[in-house]
Amino acid sequence: MSLLSIQGLKVAFRTRRGSVDAVRGVSLDVDKGEILGIVGESGSGKSVTSYALMRLLDRNGSITGGALSYGGIDLKTVRESTMRDLRGREISMIFQNPRAALNPIRMVGHQIEDVLRRHSRATRSTAKAEAIKALEAVKIRDAEARYNAYPFELSGGMCQRVVIALALACDPKLLIADEPTTGLDITTQKAVMDLIAELISERGMSAMVITHDLGLAAQYCDRIVVMKDGEVVEAGSA
């Protein structure tokens, strides 16, 4: 049974030279417990598809056609207040650049607390312990000390683990991983992807893994969708 359904999605951006179609009728489904790989070169529309799903498009971008449904909820028409509740609690995202996704002037533990207090039953008195537990879940050593670290004090791989902890803190049902290994060395890439796959399996989540690396998608995904020029050009089992 499909948890997420995207049918005929179209996304356009307004520019000084007129409207530019970035996504041109993309259709795909993500079943419960499935990892779907979305593969394509830069500019193919794969990340724009995920941002449209999360309703996080830039101001000059808009959904111009198609349907987006998550668990029977119409993501195109649902109120923004409801969408804010869905983000983090039901649908969460690992962003492409972990350092840019983190607030550079706040300790990483406090950033996880923000998510917990916004989307779960965590209170001021319990949030710190839960944030440390979230860091431990992504296998960060000495999590209590790392709780007090700022992003600039952490390596790229460690920042990526913090971003994963942020995304999974409230046990979402659907995880979107947008190029989760960008900028990491080969050894760290494997460690990060092994961790993501392990956590998805343990928690029974569904996931969309967005990547330009077909080999990575074949190794970690159940099905693969290939995009080019804003369209799905191929789909099948990994």
Side-chain angles (χ1 to χ4, degrees):
M1 180 179 179
S2 294
L3 178 66
L4 172 72
S5 178
I6 300 176
Q7 299 299 321
L9 177 66
K10 296 181 180 180
V11 179
F13 288 89
R14 299 183 302 277
T15 72
R16 293 180 179 179
R17 297 183 178 182
S19 180
V20 175
D21 295 325
V23 176
R24 307 173 183 180
V26 166
S27 296
L28 58 88
D29 296 304
V30 180
D31 294 335
K32 291 182 178 179
E34 178 184 42
I35 303 177
L36 177 70
I38 302 181
V39 181
E41 298 176 352
S42 297
S44 62
K46 56 190 189 298
S47 292
V48 173
T49 297
S50 68
Y51 276 80
L53 164 63
M54 295 287 281
R55 294 245 303 253
L56 292 174
L57 292 169
D58 290 339
R59 290 184 179 182
N60 66 327
S62 61
I63 297 172
T64 56
L68 293 167
S69 175
Y70 168 80
I73 301 171
D74 185 344
L75 298 181
K76 278 182 62 180
T77 61
V78 72
R79 292 182 178 181
E80 181 56 30
S81 59
T82 303
M83 195 67 209
R84 284 195 298 269
D85 287 337
L86 288 173
R87 295 190 204 108
R89 179 170 55 84
E90 292 282 336
I91 310 171
S92 197
M93 190 167 185
I94 300 171
F95 292 94
Q96 188 170 145
N97 185 339
R99 292 195 185 279
L102 295 170
N103 186 330
I105 60 172
R106 297 201 72 214
M107 291 185 291
V108 296
H110 289 180
Q111 296 185 55
I112 297 174
E113 282 188 33
D114 292 342
V115 174
L116 287 165
R117 295 188 65 192
R118 175 68 177 83
H119 296 292
S120 75
R121 296 181 180 179
T123 64
R124 186 182 296 274
S125 61
T126 65
K128 180 176 180 178
E130 292 189 34
I132 292 172
K133 185 178 178 181
L135 291 172
E136 290 173 341
V138 296
K139 301 181 180 179
I140 289 180
R141 295 180 181 176
D142 198 2
E144 191 164 355
R146 298 299 185 187
Y147 168 95
N148 295 306
Y150 291 91
F152 67 84
E153 297 177 303
L154 303 176
S155 67
M158 193 71 72
C159 281
Q160 188 64 291
R161 288 176 185 266
V162 171
V163 170
I164 296 169
L166 276 166
L168 300 184
C170 297
D171 289 319
K173 293 183 177 64
L174 176 63
L175 175 68
I176 301 171
D178 185 12
E179 297 282 4
T181 59
T182 296
L184 304 178
D185 61 72
I186 293 175
T187 302
T188 307
Q189 285 181 17
K190 186 178 188 310
V192 166
M193 282 307 305
D194 285 348
L195 174 63
I196 291 172
E198 179 182 331
L199 292 169
I200 289 170
S201 177
E202 285 179 356
R203 302 185 185 203
M205 295 185 296
S206 302
M208 288 170 54
V209 175
I210 297 168
T211 179
H212 64 276
D213 188 337
L214 184 59
L216 181 148
Q219 182 176 355
Y220 292 98
C221 300
D222 301 309
R223 286 191 300 122
I224 295 174
V225 167
V226 180
M227 290 184 62
K228 183 177 181 181
D229 297 330
E231 297 178 317
V232 173
V233 296
E234 189 175 349
S237 300

